[in-house]
Amino acid sequence: MAAKTTLNAKNLESLGAQRLAELLIEVSMGSAAHKRRLRMELAGNHGSEEVAREVRKRLASIARARTVINWRKVKALKNDLETQRKTIAETVAADDPQEAFELIWQFLALANPIFERSSDSSSSLIQSFHQACKDAAAIAASARIDSNVLAEKVFKAVQDDGYGQYESLIAAMAPALGKDGLDCLKTLFVQWSKEPKDKPARDERKVIGWGSASPLYEDEIFGTHRDLTVRIALQEIADAQGDVDAYIAHHPEKTRRMPITAADIANRLVSAGRAKEALEVLNEVDATGRADMPFEWQLARVETLEALGQQEEAQTYRWTCFEQSLHDQHLRAFLKRLPDFDDLEAEEKAFAHAQAFPDVHQALTFFLNWPAPAEAAKLVMRRKAELDGNLYELMPLAVEALAEKHPLAATIALRSMIDFALDSGRSSRYKYAARHLADCASLAPHIDDFGNARSHDIYVAELKRRHGKRHGFWSLVT
């Protein structure tokens, strides 16, 4: 009997078309989203032209809306956007790519009005527009859109990229644009950069902030934004054309000495077989006495040394970087290049270095990422006085990794969070601290020897002695 009432397609078919239609009408009552979906399915029976008409109407309706989009409305809007986007990319594009091309640009044009009335910082909505950029590229190629027409559309879109919705558009469109389209797009941005910047009369200029010694005017900020937009666009075009020199030229000389930018340039030079120049770019960055160089720069330097055939220097630098940062990727790459058995000895040396590392939390993060739970437990037990229970992103991860085989170390990590919440009087964390104490109680029977740590009962008694007046906490303890 249960099998016949299970909700699946086969069982529902037995109800018959008429009964299913009645149920769908009933279920859709009060749900605009369900009604739209049903209308879309009905339109599909009449061909892609009717589907396109329904999509166009819906996109226009979304564009006209003025209600504020708060966090409660994000999910429904996201679902609506995805329905329209997928219908364009999968249904309309299959039958009429020209119509789909127009619709996907109408879809992309929704970004600004949507984000202008959105009070939610969720990234879920922007993801729909980033995917639509990729869809637009695929549809453009299928529709054989003229490269100059496509370049003009991309240019106007990037000019109006108010919320980052078009940040991936040039890279996505590169194959569809081809050489002629990319050249045209490059010309459009260069021409825009040379256009005079209209400066309003002095008494009409709008002050939008203050610098260290003078006001910041809106027109000045716009000019800066335009310059930045052009520079980034030309960099992306250079990348798409495989022109490393142009990519470098579109970076101001000052920014080329910034670690991340230097790493980006070096990576491109190495890929182009110009490792010697890559090393020169990296050497322009002042790294003297700096142990906090970004991982991207360090990795670029290692790969550049490898490309130059300087494997020994690369290995030495990998180990130095690991010693300074405990970044597990440096150690993995170092060990991978060692002969058999030498890697085991080097790993032991690395673990010993991490155990003595000045920042106990950096060391704990390394052992968790490796993963080496036994070493993490050893670290926690040896340096429990240094643990910061305020690190609510790290400590729960440690507890999860240690609980099964190292219950005492997990207990120490839990106690660090409990002690922080109570010692600092963080009432907002009392409910979590109460859960942590319950976790301690469940771990206690699995601990044969507490060693120099207090047993669970003694720890609870000590908590009551020190924090007996934290009634908000104790009321939550079961």
Side-chain angles (χ1 to χ4, degrees), residues 320-367:
T320 298
C321 290
F322 168 72
E323 285 186 319
Q324 293 173 343
S325 67
L326 296 188
H327 201 297
D328 64 287
Q329 287 190 39
H330 283 309
L331 182 59
R332 291 182 199 282
F334 179 84
L335 296 178
K336 185 178 180 181
R337 288 160 177 80
L338 292 179
D340 290 343
F341 303 111
D342 285 1
D343 58 340
L344 298 176
E345 183 179 343
E347 185 181 59
E348 289 180 8
K349 181 181 176 182
F351 286 177
H353 176 74
Q355 286 288 347
F357 197 75
D359 187 336
V360 67
H361 305 104
Q362 207 167 334
L364 181 57
T365 300
F366 163 69
F367 286 130

Side-chain angles (χ1 to χ4, degrees), residues 129-157:
F129 293 100
H130 289 167
Q131 182 58 50
C133 288
K134 298 176 183 177
D135 295 335
I139 294 169
S142 177
R144 301 179 184 273
I145 303 298
D146 179 80
S147 60
N148 289 346
V149 172
L150 188 56
E152 185 73 33
K153 277 190 168 291
V154 173
F155 172 64
K156 289 181 178 178

Side-chain angles (χ1 to χ4, degrees), residues 47-49 51-52 85-101 103 135 138-139 142-143:
S48 63
E49 184 177 346
V51 173
R85 182 189 65 75
K86 290 179 180 178
T87 301
I88 297 168
E90 298 171 8
T91 304
V92 180
D95 288 341
D96 191 345
Q98 292 280 349
E99 178 74 7
F101 182 73
L103 285 174
D135 295 335
I139 294 169
S142 177

Side-chain angles (χ1 to χ4, degrees), residues 386-401:
E386 300 173 49
L387 298 179
D388 184 354
N390 190 31
L391 297 179
Y392 258 64
E393 292 182 358
L394 174 60
M395 290 305 167
L397 293 177
V399 172
E400 183 179 355

Side-chain angles (χ1 to χ4, degrees), residues 66-84:
R66 294 293 179 266
T67 56
V68 173
I69 303 167
N70 58 33
W71 65 271
R72 292 183 180 86
K73 298 178 181 178
V74 166
K75 185 176 180 180
L77 178 57
K78 169 75 173 181
N79 291 337
D80 195 357
L81 289 174
E82 283 297 285
T83 296
Q84 308 310 319

Side-chain angles (χ1 to χ4, degrees), residues 156-382:
K156 289 181 178 178
V158 175
Q159 278 184 305
D160 195 28
D161 190 17
Y163 297 90
Q165 66 268 30
Y166 297 120
E167 66 179 22
S168 61
L169 184 60
I170 293 177
M173 280 291 180
L177 284 164
K179 181 183 183 302
D180 292 342
L182 287 169
D183 286 339
C184 178
L185 185 61
K186 180 178 179 179
T187 300
L188 290 170
F189 276 108
V190 171
Q191 290 174 345
W192 187 37
S193 70
K194 294 178 179 178
E195 290 179 8
K197 300 179 177 70
D198 295 330
K199 183 174 288 189
R202 187 177 184 85
D203 59 346
E204 295 178 357
R205 299 181 76 190
K206 182 179 179 181
V207 177
I208 60 173
W210 291 87
S212 57
S214 60
L216 299 175
Y217 293 101
E218 185 176 49
D219 58 289
E220 292 176 343
I221 296 299
F222 174 76
T224 302
H225 174 71
R226 185 173 83 177
D227 294 342
L228 180 61
T229 300
V230 169
R231 189 160 67 244
I232 292 174
L234 291 176
Q235 289 167 9
E236 292 178 349
I237 293 169
D239 258 348
Q241 294 178 323
D243 190 339
V244 181
D245 293 313
Y247 179 83
I248 296 171
H250 293 307
H251 283 86
E253 190 172 346
K254 185 185 295 184
T255 65
R256 295 178 207 172
R257 292 185 172 88
M258 298 173 64
I260 297 296
T261 303
D264 286 340
I265 292 173
N267 289 334
R268 286 165 172 79
L269 286 169
V270 168
S271 296
R274 298 160 62 180
K276 185 177 179 181
E277 293 173 67
L279 188 59
E280 291 171 359
V281 168
L282 293 170
N283 286 340
E284 287 292 314
V285 177
D286 184 9
T288 307
R290 288 186 61 177
D292 62 340
M293 292 299 288
F295 174 74
E296 293 83 358
W297 185 88
Q298 294 175 339
L299 188 60
R301 186 174 188 84
V302 166
E303 293 180 351
T304 300
L305 291 171
E306 290 255 339
L308 288 168
Q310 300 176 19
Q311 279 78 15
E312 187 174 343
E313 290 87 342
Q315 276 291 75
T316 300
Y317 186 65
R318 283 190 185 96
W319 181 259
T320 298
C321 290
F322 168 72
E323 285 186 319
Q324 293 173 343
S325 67
L326 296 188
H327 201 297
D328 64 287
Q329 287 190 39
H330 283 309
L331 182 59
R332 291 182 199 282
F334 179 84
L335 296 178
K336 185 178 180 181
R337 288 160 177 80
L338 292 179
D340 290 343
F341 303 111
D342 285 1
D343 58 340
L344 298 176
E345 183 179 343
E347 185 181 59
E348 289 180 8
K349 181 181 176 182
F351 286 177
H353 176 74
Q355 286 288 347
F357 197 75
D359 187 336
V360 67
H361 305 104
Q362 207 167 334
L364 181 57
T365 300
F366 163 69
F367 286 130
L368 294 177
N369 288 338
W370 191 250
E375 292 289 331
K378 178 181 173 183
L379 180 77
V380 168
M381 296 306 302
R382 284 181 53 250

